[in-house]
Amino acid sequence: MTDSAAPASTPSHDTPHEATRYVDHAPRPGHPGRVPQPDLRPELHRERAHHDRCRTALAAMVAGAQEQVVIGEDVSASGADAEVLGYRLRSHAKALRELPEGPLFFGRLDFGDDGPGAGLGGLHIGRLRIGEHPAAPPLVVDWRAPVSRAFYQASAGDPQGVLVRRRFGWAPGSRGDSADLTGFEDEHLGARAGEGTPAPGPATGPSVLLAQEIERPRVGPMRDIAATIQPEQDDLVRGGLGETVCVQGAPGTGKTAVGLHRAAYLLYTHPQRIHRGGLLVLGPHRAFLSYIAEVLPALGETGVRQSTLHDEIARHPVTGTDSDLAAGVKHDARMAEVLRRALYARVSADRARGVVVAEDSYRWRVTRDELAAIVAGVRAEEPPYAIGRERVRARIVRRIQDQAELRAGPRPASWVRRVERARVVSACVEAVWPKVRPEEVVAELLVDAEALARAADGLLDPAEQRALRPPRPPRSWKSARWSAADQVLLDEVAGLIDHPEGYGHVVVDEAQDLSPMECRSIARRVRFGSLTVLGDLAQGTTPWAARSWPVQMAHLGRPGVPVVLLTTGFRVPGAVADLANRLLPHLDVDVPPARSLRTDGELRLRRADGDLLAAVTDAVRDALDREGSVGVVSADAHTDEVRHALTAAGIPTTDPETTTARVTVVPASLVKGLEYDHVVAVEPTAIAETHPRGLHLLYVVLTRAVSRLDVVHTRELPWEQAETARFT
């Protein structure tokens, strides 16, 4: 249930081409039907036999990986080498053991005598490499391998050496197997030298198997889309490690899947650099993380941290609350300078008279003027606060050392360490550059009106400064009740004191909802790495949501990064996209309307005659008569009564963090990033008017449906109200 949609049921090729479609409808357990064309049955049998061979090889790979762990742990090596070797072997074995059940390949390429696959013959493409022996040709090639790119990019106009691209159709195993191969579809893209144009096959047109995979009902966690990636998505997925990508994607265009598959691609192509630097996926909330949790393991990648920004930066439990004005000010970019001033206001050479270190009959001195010059010099270098403090100490000691060596020659390292720890030196450093906790800085700033006024001079007006002061100021930082917005302030000061641990690459989903201060928190964690930034300005629902990607990317520390537009939707039906587009003129953002390639799907506007909950229950019952997941989305304040009404009607429900139930009742504020086959949107006007950016939130709600949308209401619909107001 995410924007993770795979693209189109329309093929990605630039010119018409011939296709051969074959689906086995012969009577088999669980698959009754007609007898297939006899001339293609042997080919299907060969592919099934290949899949059985792959299954056997994979089982041997899993067993072999576990055996390597045992052997590796017995190898005599240095402690560090043994630890690294053991970690790598255990991680590999764990990844293989945890692969979800499913087809081991989804496509095949038959190459001609030119292009990147020349001489390779037929290659099966899957989610990971499968082989019977490391030195033997693989039975399945990883979708991320360079040669696999032709599966996504080849077309009739540019076949890239591909003669035939084959897609496979699968169904759940009918005999306890993980999957049944039920058919295949061949696209004839090229011809061998001297053979001319390929002979027409019995079927032409869009890929039926591709469409079926995209539109397959979805109950449970988000699936990977390795089988259905389209060329424009493939270009983004295979971007270089040092390349930061920003994607503005309309609902259903696959931006979430692009981010996750790019993470998997980078782990495949730069394993050592990524594992050394780390890879982080940031989602908007934990329900979203639960939904996407199985995508990367399905692609064979388990060493990725998936988290929310709050979980990454929180230093204390959230026990306090803020007014809307206070929260807005705390998330404003101006607070970065306010906090910097408050921190460095503690640095001053005026608090020390100089340093005198006694040694026998000698007195080594650092005068007040010299001390002031040391402090000013370190300040000018702008190091992190904690590093600056140690530089001051080191330069005081160096000044003393120079005097001692001028009189008595070089000093040993033990002498230098003794001077560094000397009480007078430590007292001087503490006076001019005191040690401090982030909590002390933030608490003092929020409690002390004079300190805030000095730090906020010229930045925050008096009303904003008053809003920052808590109603009941704590006696000290230890008794403070920290709000969610305070965590961002604490992280900013912590970043000024010392740089946080960084990542080699960070994928940020729903990035339009980040405040400037939250963007700074992310930027600090990827100072030497790269970003994949995903979002949709039309879906910005926080009070500080971005209205411009160039501005947002500047806050993320990547100014000037080009924005890639994804406007063609493949999940959201056309009628639903058209309905949501009616809200765009009222959202105060400059984004193109979503365009859907899907002409199927249903949209129903149900006006309830008084009893809204009864109408909602009827809509859910109708949805349960079909396949797929059902999401019932209402204003947050109405979620409990909707859940109780469905329970009373005998319809079991669950919350959004559980991804296996048929019916999920979702507060509108938590539906972002999720998707359901059938969405029941309850009283859209209530959703719109109970949220600061209500129309944006309603736009999100309407675009969560991938097959059917029921809008159940008793009041006039918000887009009708907005259009009436606009034209009167």
Side-chain angles (χ1 to χ4, degrees):
M1 317 169 185
T2 343
D3 281 283
S4 56
S9 53
T10 299
S12 58
H13 322 302
D14 49 21
T15 59
H17 61 281
E18 301 298 340
T20 301
R21 294 187 191 127
Y22 174 81
V23 179
D24 184 358
H25 296 288
R28 302 174 65 221
H31 296 285
R34 65 178 177 80
V35 176
Q37 296 291 331
D39 57 331
L40 293 178
R41 185 193 296 272
E43 182 67 13
L44 186 62
H45 287 336
R46 280 193 291 272
E47 295 290 7
R48 285 175 177 158
H50 186 75
H51 192 252
D52 291 340
R53 184 181 175 189
C54 293
R55 191 179 289 124
T56 301
L58 179 60
M61 288 170 60
V62 173
Q66 189 59 44
E67 183 180 350
Q68 285 180 342
V69 171
V70 176
I71 295 173
E73 290 176 343
D74 291 339
V75 171
S76 175
S78 71
D81 290 344
E83 184 177 349
V84 171
L85 175 62
Y87 172 79
R88 290 179 179 172
L89 292 175
R90 287 192 300 272
S91 298
H92 179 60
K94 182 174 183 287
L96 288 177
R97 287 196 309 271
E98 295 181 354
L99 281 172
E101 291 188 350
L104 299 183
F105 53 80
F106 51 77
R108 171 175 159 164
L109 293 175
D110 289 340
F111 289 97
D113 299 326
D114 57 355
L120 294 177
L123 291 180
H124 286 79
I125 313 297
R127 288 163 179 81
L128 79 162
R129 184 189 189 278
I130 298 175
E132 294 172 314
H133 188 275
L139 301 176
V140 177
V141 177
D142 195 298
W143 67 275
R144 296 165 290 185
V147 73
S148 300
R149 187 165 196 181
F151 183 79
Y152 305 107
Q153 296 281 353
S155 66
D158 180 19
Q160 300 185 19
V162 176
L163 297 178
V164 179
R165 170 170 46 210
R166 174 170 291 178
R167 300 182 190 275
F168 295 97
W170 300 89
S174 58
R175 299 159 300 195
D177 298 335
S178 60
D180 257 350
L181 202 167
T182 58
F184 61 83
E185 179 180 84
D186 286 348
E187 299 170 80
H188 306 279
L189 303 181
R192 295 187 186 276
E195 291 184 357
T197 305
T204 61
S207 169
V208 173
L209 294 180
L210 180 59
Q212 290 173 348
E213 170 63 20
I214 291 168
E215 297 165 13
R216 177 158 51 99
R218 29 198 321 114
V219 175
M222 172 185 166
R223 303 189 303 264
D224 70 86
I225 63 161
T228 56
I229 291 172
Q230 295 291 283
E232 64 272 21
Q233 292 179 317
D234 187 63
D235 290 337
L236 294 170
V237 165
R238 296 177 191 264
L241 176 58
E243 180 182 352
T244 287
V245 173
C246 177
V247 180
Q248 157 63 41
T253 54
K255 55 186 177 292
T256 296
V258 164
L260 294 174
H261 285 68
R262 187 179 187 210
Y265 175 78
L266 293 176
L267 283 162
Y268 175 85
T269 52
H270 306 281
Q272 293 184 348
R273 291 175 62 185
I274 288 293
H275 283 299
R276 184 169 59 246
L279 197 151
L280 173 66
V281 175
L282 288 176
H285 46 70
R286 291 182 181 177
F288 174 85
L289 296 178
S290 297
Y291 180 56
I292 68 170
E294 294 187 16
V295 173
L296 288 170
L299 297 170
E301 301 296 347
T302 56
V304 178
R305 179 170 174 78
Q306 300 186 31
S307 183
T308 66
L309 181 60
H310 172 79
D311 289 341
E312 287 296 297
I313 70 174
R315 297 173 63 91
H316 301 278
V318 174
T319 57
T321 57
D322 286 312
S323 67
D324 291 343
L325 177 57
V329 174
K330 289 178 180 180
H331 280 280
D332 193 287
R334 294 172 294 167
M335 283 302 298
E337 177 61 18
V338 172
L339 293 168
R340 191 195 66 79
R341 291 180 184 178
L343 174 62
Y344 282 95
R346 298 168 179 265
V347 175
S348 175
D350 296 337
R351 301 190 185 99
R353 298 180 178 178
V355 181
V356 179
V357 175
E359 184 183 30
D360 298 329
S361 60
Y362 299 110
R363 298 290 185 271
W364 316 122
R365 302 176 184 275
V366 179
T367 67
R368 185 173 180 177
D369 289 344
E370 290 174 325
L371 191 59
I374 288 174
V375 172
V378 173
R379 282 288 303 269
E381 294 166 6
E382 299 184 347
Y385 185 92
I387 293 176
R389 173 182 163 89
E390 294 311 309
R391 285 184 186 175
V392 169
R393 182 190 301 274
R395 291 177 191 183
I396 291 173
V397 172
R398 183 70 220 182
R399 192 66 57 94
I400 294 170
Q401 184 180 357
D402 288 344
Q403 296 176 45
E405 290 182 347
L406 186 62
R407 178 173 292 273
R411 303 283 85 189
S414 58
W415 183 93
V416 174
R417 288 194 297 271
R418 187 169 66 252
V419 174
E420 288 175 341
R421 294 192 299 266
R423 185 174 300 175
V424 291
V425 172
S426 295
C428 178
V429 172
E430 184 64 23
V432 301
W433 202 295
K435 191 174 184 178
V436 67
R437 296 173 179 268
E439 290 82 356
E440 295 175 83
V441 177
V442 175
E444 178 183 297
L445 190 68
L446 299 182
V447 170
D448 188 334
E450 292 184 0
L452 177 59
R454 288 193 297 270
D457 182 36
L459 295 171
L460 305 180
D461 63 38
E464 291 172 321
Q465 294 180 35
R466 286 193 298 272
L468 290 178
R469 300 197 63 198
R472 296 181 180 178
R475 293 183 179 180
S476 74
W477 67 267
K478 295 181 181 179
S479 60
R481 296 171 59 85
W482 302 106
S483 69
D486 289 336
Q487 309 291 338
V488 182
L489 304 185
L490 293 170
D491 190 72
E492 179 73 25
V493 178
L496 291 170
I497 293 174
D498 201 1
H499 291 311
E501 181 181 354
Y503 291 89
H505 191 80
V506 177
V507 177
V508 188
D509 208 347
E510 305 295 350
Q512 76 283 346
D513 275 335
L514 297 172
S515 71
M517 292 294 285
E518 289 173 324
C519 288
R520 291 176 60 86
S521 292
I522 294 171
R524 280 191 293 276
R525 287 162 172 78
V526 68
R527 293 176 64 234
F528 303 109
S530 55
L531 289 163
T532 298
V533 179
L534 313 164
D536 179 9
L537 298 179
Q539 297 183 55
T541 55
T542 58
W544 39 78
R547 290 172 170 80
S548 161
W549 283 119
V551 172
Q552 194 77 333
M553 294 307 296
H555 289 312
L556 284 165
R558 299 294 190 277
V561 169
V563 180
V564 179
L565 296 178
L566 294 179
T567 59
T568 302
F570 309 98
R571 279 288 181 202
V572 180
V576 175
D578 291 343
L579 178 67
N581 284 340
R582 293 174 67 177
L583 290 172
L584 280 182
H586 315 290
L587 299 187
D588 190 29
V589 290
D590 184 17
V591 299
R595 184 175 70 92
S596 176
L597 293 183
R598 290 182 54 188
T599 58
D600 62 336
E602 297 178 17
L603 168 65
R604 289 197 293 181
L605 306 180
R606 299 187 181 207
R607 181 136 199 163
D609 295 327
D611 193 340
L612 178 67
L613 295 178
V616 170
T617 302
D618 290 342
V620 173
R621 283 202 179 102
D622 289 347
L624 289 173
D625 289 337
R626 314 197 188 189
E627 288 187 285
S629 56
V630 182
V632 185
V633 188
S634 67
D636 290 24
H638 301 159
T639 301
D640 286 343
E641 60 182 312
V642 170
R643 183 181 293 110
H644 292 155
L646 294 174
T647 302
I651 300 174
T653 66
T654 189
D655 60 73
E657 290 194 33
T658 304
T659 58
T660 55
R662 282 292 308 276
V663 180
T664 305
V665 178
V666 193
S669 63
L670 291 183
V671 78
K672 184 170 295 179
L674 307 179
E675 65 182 18
Y676 301 90
D677 288 292
H678 192 132
V679 168
V680 178
V682 182
E683 200 66 271
T685 298
I687 295 173
E689 67 187 12
T690 56
H691 192 275
R693 289 170 65 85
L695 290 180
H696 290 261
L697 181 59
L698 181 57
Y699 180 84
V700 174
V701 170
L702 296 178
T703 54
R704 300 307 91 198
V706 299
S707 293
R708 296 170 297 280
L709 172 65
D710 268 344
V711 178
V712 183
H713 64 106
T714 59
R715 303 167 61 182
E716 186 180 5
L717 294 169
W719 50 87
E720 296 173 346
Q721 299 173 21
E723 289 166 356
T724 299
R726 186 181 181 191
F727 294 110
T728 57

